[in-house]
Amino acid sequence: MENKPARQRIIHTQTLNKNRYLLSLLDEANEAGIISQLQVNHLHSQIMDILRDTILRYNAGKSSSIRTETAQQLLLSVFYCMDACCMEYASPMECLEQLQAEGAAVLYKKGLELVCSCTDSARKLLSEVKSGKIITKVQAYNDTLDYDLPEFFTGYSAIFSAHEAMCSFDYPIAHDDQAEQGVFYIWQYLKKLSMENEFCRKFTFADIESLLAGYGKTYKIHYPDYLLNIFEIILYNSVFSVIAGKSAKNIGLGYCDLQTLLRKLTGLDEKTHKCIISNAMREIQAQLNIVQPELMDYMFLSIVELCSRLRICLDNNSLDKLVIIA
Amino acid sequence: MKELTSIGSMDAVLRQTAINQILETNSESMKYGLMLTENDAMQILDSRNDALRGFGRIELGADVIQRLIFALCDSPYIVQEQYASVLCELIEAFYYMKNETLDEMGDDELVLWIKDSFNNRCNGSVELLLGGEFENTAREIRNAIYSRAFITGEDVH
């Protein structure tokens, strides 16, 4: 008789869907025979009790029924909080053990606390980001910080709509993680915007506006109305400035610099381009005295795309689209 | 498990609890000569679920059914032979009214309104209840909501 391999009885985080963590964990655990269908049903029942309480709270205790679409949203909110707690455990197996030992209601309560705590942190972070905002004419940037993000906090409810990021803010950050949802999305957005601001504050208002005006001229747009990322435009020009032999702060490049860059960068292979850009980045960090590891990582993350864009522009003889002439 | 976010998938888990909740009402209704069998409870629950689906609503448990039974089991217009079927009609009327009044009336308030109308103004006729009596009340409530929304600028939906 053929020996079948023993079923895998460990669940790895990578196999789970981050945006439906608990559900995928229970699916995997059930399929792997770690928890029985009876236990799954019991957990279902506990989750439905949480939903029932949430419906009552939503209706201020006056009504036990609710429109289907609202109930779906409330359930997503419950799962969002539970997922927040579940993902805090060191491993999916530990999460399962706690879920069975403490019950769904306890995990929901802990998750709700985490979401509330993140909301408080994000609110404080917004206040910091606003006080450190750069002066610019870019409308999307100003509107996002002055109106759209504050509006999020007035409408957000960790109990009824934890999974939603219920505001529309337009300003694009360099590395948005759109896989995140709810307040955790807002938090990562603000964290990154805070780093971008910190970098941009190393440059003067006049230099930034002159660079953005050059960007507008290059792409024939009225830049204050355009959805552009200020940080990335500054960073790229700072990189090219250093490569051209100027200082990191000197982002106002001219046609002479463009010719220098063409001379220095044409005909090189990809690896050499990467080395040049990477060295320039280190030089920028040294010159601008950037020592915060998170910002340093974020800057490097932001130039990953620069190398391929540089090669395309060199091939198409359009480096002037990437190097902005102020 | 795959579609827990579709709340309907929980019916099997909640069904027995809801049936037990309905049967619990017998202790009160029997004082008035009314009783539901397990089959009646299942029929009422199915009818309630159809009504919820039809009106695009969700309810976990059988709270509304219990409240309606406790409020109406002493009605002089309900007899044992029609007890289950009248309950089904009243339950459907309840959720219809919920939607038509834009959820403005709470469960208790709506149950009391149904009891009062059914016993005192409609002579135990669900048809009359759902006719003029109900339509007029629903219209008044909606008008109040719309005018409030108009004044405050709030979103009705």
Side-chain angles (χ1 to χ4, degrees), chain B residues 77-142:
Chain B
Y77 297 104
I78 300 179
V79 292
Q80 175 62 36
E81 291 72 33
Q82 295 164 337
Y83 183 33
S85 62
V86 169
L87 279 176
C88 289
E89 289 179 85
L90 289 172
I91 289 163
E92 189 178 349
F94 177 92
Y95 294 113
Y96 177 55
M97 185 83 176
K98 269 273 175 192
N99 272 12
E100 290 297 304
T101 56
L102 309 177
D103 288 66
E104 182 74 358
M105 289 175 96
D107 289 353
D108 288 337
E109 194 184 356
L110 184 49
V111 166
L112 281 177
W113 182 89
I114 289 174
K115 178 181 179 164
D116 182 42
S117 301
F118 184 78
N119 285 340
N120 302 326
R121 290 188 293 279
C122 302
N123 301 324
S125 162
V126 180
E127 203 176 329
L128 282 178
L129 180 80
L130 285 172
E133 179 72 12
F134 165 79
E135 288 300 336
N136 291 339
T137 307
R139 196 178 309 112
E140 278 170 24
I141 289 173
R142 280 200 306 271

Side-chain angles (χ1 to χ4, degrees), chain A residues 44 62-64 66 68 72, chain B residues 1 5 10 56 58 98 107:
Chain A
H44 278 188
K62 284 170 64 187
S63 179
S64 56
I66 199 166
T68 308
Q72 294 277 7
Chain B
M1 194 64 209
T5 41
M10 294 304 298
I58 292 283
K98 269 273 175 192
D107 289 353

Side-chain angles (χ1 to χ4, degrees), chain A residues 21-303:
Chain A
Y21 189 85
L22 175 59
L23 284 174
S24 59
L25 172 61
L26 292 179
D27 276 346
E28 293 281 330
N30 189 223
E31 276 174 28
I34 297 167
I35 56 170
S36 67
Q37 190 57 47
L38 199 67
Q39 288 169 307
V40 171
N41 288 350
H42 185 54
L43 284 166
H44 278 188
S45 182
Q46 291 178 22
I47 293 167
M48 286 303 108
D49 285 343
I50 299 169
L51 178 62
R52 182 163 45 219
D53 290 346
T54 310
I55 289 172
L56 271 174
R57 287 180 81 167
Y58 184 83
N59 288 331
K62 284 170 64 187
S63 179
S64 56
S65 69
I66 199 166
R67 286 170 194 269
T68 308
E69 57 269 31
T70 313
Q72 294 277 7
Q73 293 305 309
L74 294 180
L75 186 57
L76 288 174
S77 182
V78 167
F79 275 122
Y80 183 85
C81 292
M82 293 193 75
D83 284 351
C85 176
C86 290
M87 284 190 279
E88 283 286 296
Y89 292 108
S91 70
M93 296 304 286
E94 191 185 328
C95 173
L96 265 183
E97 282 164 21
Q98 290 301 315
L99 186 60
Q100 289 181 278
E102 296 188 305
V106 173
L107 261 70
Y108 171 69
K109 192 167 172 257
K110 286 181 183 174
L112 186 60
E113 281 166 11
L114 283 170
V115 172
C116 289
S117 158
C118 182
T119 310
D120 289 342
S121 300
R123 198 178 275 118
K124 282 179 197 147
L125 191 53
L126 172 63
S127 166
E128 285 168 28
V129 172
K130 276 182 80 171
S131 61
K133 84 191 268 255
I134 58 165
I135 300 166
T136 176
K137 292 176 188 165
V138 176
Q139 199 66 40
Y141 177 86
N142 291 323
D143 286 351
T144 294
L145 277 173
D146 294 339
Y147 307 110
D148 302 335
L149 283 167
E151 194 182 302
F152 166 81
F153 291 101
T154 56
Y156 186 72
S157 162
I159 298 172
F160 304 130
S161 57
H163 60 295
E164 287 180 4
M166 289 180 303
C167 65
S168 58
F169 43 91
D170 292 331
Y171 184 68
I173 51 171
H175 289 283
D176 203 1
D177 182 1
Q178 295 193 335
E180 285 283 1
Q181 295 176 341
V183 75
F184 294 121
Y185 170 78
I186 300 291
W187 190 87
Q188 66 87 32
Y189 179 93
L190 282 166
K191 191 79 191 158
K192 289 170 180 171
L193 191 53
S194 164
M195 288 193 284
E196 292 188 6
N197 279 350
E198 193 175 335
F199 175 78
C200 294
R201 281 199 305 272
K202 306 276 184 190
F203 302 85
T204 65
F205 164 73
D207 284 349
I208 293 174
E209 287 306 301
S210 167
L211 174 64
L212 294 178
Y215 186 89
K217 207 170 154 190
T218 302
Y219 288 100
K220 297 181 175 56
I221 56 166
H222 184 240
Y223 81 88
D225 301 335
Y226 204 70
L227 299 181
L228 46 83
N229 179 257
I230 304 168
F231 162 81
E232 200 171 67
I233 295 171
I234 297 175
L235 180 65
Y236 282 10
N237 250 40
S238 183
V239 167
F240 288 124
S241 177
V242 170
I243 296 173
K246 298 169 83 170
S247 81
K249 275 202 165 191
N250 191 346
I251 48 175
L253 301 177
Y255 285 103
C256 278
D257 301 312
L258 185 63
Q259 294 309 314
T260 308
L261 287 165
L262 274 169
R263 261 199 324 277
K264 284 190 170 183
L265 296 170
T266 305
L268 303 177
D269 61 18
E270 189 180 349
K271 198 177 167 190
T272 311
H273 278 150
K274 280 184 177 167
C275 280
I276 291 171
I277 292 170
S278 177
N279 289 339
M281 182 61 78
R282 286 203 186 86
E283 185 59 31
I284 292 169
Q285 290 173 344
Q287 284 186 30
L288 300 182
N289 195 26
I290 293 170
V291 290
Q292 304 89 323
E294 277 184 322
L295 178 54
M296 291 168 87
D297 289 349
Y298 192 73
M299 287 170 72
F300 266 101
L301 197 64
S302 303
I303 55 156

